[in-house]
Amino acid sequence: MNSAQAAPKSIATGLFLAIAGAIAFSGKAIIVKLAYRHGVDAVTLIMLRMLFALPFFLAIVWWTGRKARLSGVALPRLTPHDKWGILGLGITGYYLASFLDFAGLAYISASLERLILYLNPTLVLLLGLVLYGKRISGAQALGMAISYAGVLLVFGHEVNLAGGDVALGALLVFGSAISYAIYLAYSGELVQRLGSLRLVGLATSVACVLCIAQFVVLRPLNTAFAVAPEVLWLSVLNATLCTVVPVLMVMMAIERIGAGLAAQVGMVGPMSTIIMGVLLLGEPMNVWVAGGTVLVLSGVYVVSRKR
């Protein structure tokens, strides 16, 4: 096969991986909502997810080192600065963001959760303005306004249906989005130095340990597996299909089609969450949810195009 034939095949593979990864990521909220039906709390649920995911992320760290050795490439040694950076990114990007997200899902629908998290590009822009003084263009500001109007539309509808707890849930999930935006804003230097896959493996391993330690501090040890069998199976599914697998898929997609196109393809995520929420959770699909989704996706598209 010549290079001209290989290129379209690589692009098609990259698009498939990006779409599949976005859909798999979006299934996390559905699994969490299903697990909550069995009386488990956020501290226990996130511990189980990270406990089952930890061996996979440690394997990623090992594999990146082995691949480098086989290729005759010397990986940069971790400096004290690197270690502190990995700790900080593990806390913001995967521990705090995940815990706040899980906690918020106890109060709001999976659809609203996904729309709030999808505001992430707008939060990265705002952090760039606050931390680095990066100017936000008029088109970007318009895109942000459209996105937030979409979230407010769905939020207002849920408040009318479910009451004040929706505000708490939305605030927790928005805190999750801010935490992950901080991770993105500060991860650039370490990604360049350590490589994306190695950094993800290290940072997520740190987050896994923190989530397990949080459970040890806050809950009796003998309650770790004193949950419904359905919760255990859902946690295994969450750790593999909705955590490890999409991380690898998105990384492989970026290698083939680039980060920009992979991010745009990721717009299928909110729609897939809404569809799964309707089919698996019985969540409503109405004009408010549809309108809010269109606004959020349109706004994020405008922001991403103008970056």
Side-chain angles (χ1 to χ4, degrees), residues 160-233:
N160 287 332
L161 291 179
D165 283 346
V166 172
L168 174 59
L171 185 62
L172 289 168
V173 175
F174 190 66
S176 170
I178 293 173
S179 184
Y180 194 73
I182 292 171
Y183 161 81
L184 292 176
Y186 283 104
S187 63
E189 178 187 346
L190 276 179
V191 167
Q192 293 298 321
R193 173 171 163 73
L194 302 179
S196 58
L197 202 55
R198 186 185 182 197
L199 179 60
V200 166
L202 289 168
T204 48
S205 295
V206 168
C208 289
V209 172
L210 290 173
C211 289
I212 294 168
Q214 174 181 258
F215 177 86
V216 171
V217 172
L218 298 179
R219 299 288 186 272
L221 285 178
N222 60 0
T223 65
F225 297 100
V227 295
E230 293 86 352
V231 173
L232 294 177
W233 287 112

Side-chain angles (χ1 to χ4, degrees), residues 26-304:
S26 67
K28 174 206 64 179
I30 307 301
I31 289 177
V32 171
K33 296 290 285 186
L34 288 172
Y36 277 149
R37 293 179 175 180
H38 298 280
V40 67
D41 66 357
V43 172
T44 303
L45 191 58
I46 197 170
M47 180 277 295
L48 291 171
R49 176 208 190 192
M50 294 306 208
L51 179 66
F52 294 133
L54 180 57
F56 293 97
F57 288 123
L58 291 176
I60 289 173
V61 176
W62 170 83
W63 182 80
T64 55
R66 182 175 183 273
K67 182 181 179 183
R69 287 192 298 273
L70 292 176
S71 304
V73 177
L75 290 177
R77 297 187 64 180
L78 297 179
T79 66
H81 177 75
D82 293 334
K83 293 175 182 178
W84 281 111
I86 290 167
L87 176 62
L89 294 179
I91 291 172
T92 57
Y94 298 102
Y95 163 66
L96 188 59
S98 295
F99 178 70
L100 290 174
D101 183 35
F102 274 50
L105 276 166
Y107 304 103
I108 63 174
S109 69
S111 302
L112 178 56
E113 178 258 8
R114 181 52 46 182
L115 293 180
I116 294 173
L117 291 182
Y118 210 71
L119 294 174
N120 196 264
T122 70
L123 295 173
V124 172
L125 276 180
L126 290 172
L127 283 174
L129 174 65
V130 173
L131 299 176
Y132 307 113
K134 292 183 179 179
R135 180 177 171 271
I136 296 176
S137 69
Q140 289 172 330
L142 175 62
M144 292 169 62
I146 294 171
S147 294
Y148 284 89
V151 170
L152 288 174
L153 186 67
V154 180
F155 170 77
H157 178 64
E158 281 207 19
V159 167
N160 287 332
L161 291 179
D165 283 346
V166 172
L168 174 59
L171 185 62
L172 289 168
V173 175
F174 190 66
S176 170
I178 293 173
S179 184
Y180 194 73
I182 292 171
Y183 161 81
L184 292 176
Y186 283 104
S187 63
E189 178 187 346
L190 276 179
V191 167
Q192 293 298 321
R193 173 171 163 73
L194 302 179
S196 58
L197 202 55
R198 186 185 182 197
L199 179 60
V200 166
L202 289 168
T204 48
S205 295
V206 168
C208 289
V209 172
L210 290 173
C211 289
I212 294 168
Q214 174 181 258
F215 177 86
V216 171
V217 172
L218 298 179
R219 299 288 186 272
L221 285 178
N222 60 0
T223 65
F225 297 100
V227 295
E230 293 86 352
V231 173
L232 294 177
W233 287 112
L234 287 168
S235 296
V236 171
L237 190 63
N238 200 355
T240 54
L241 186 61
C242 299
T243 303
V244 177
V245 170
V247 164
L248 296 177
M249 281 184 169
V250 171
M251 288 296 177
M252 290 188 289
I254 290 173
E255 289 178 355
R256 289 165 172 79
I257 62 176
L261 183 54
Q264 291 181 27
V265 172
M267 287 187 172
V268 303
M271 280 308 304
S272 63
T273 300
I274 291 170
I275 293 170
M276 285 189 286
V278 171
L279 296 177
L280 300 177
L281 301 175
E283 292 186 352
M285 180 60 182
N286 50 46
V287 65
W288 302 98
V289 175
T293 301
V294 170
L295 287 173
V296 170
L297 294 181
S298 300
V300 170
Y301 178 76
V302 170
V303 168
S304 301

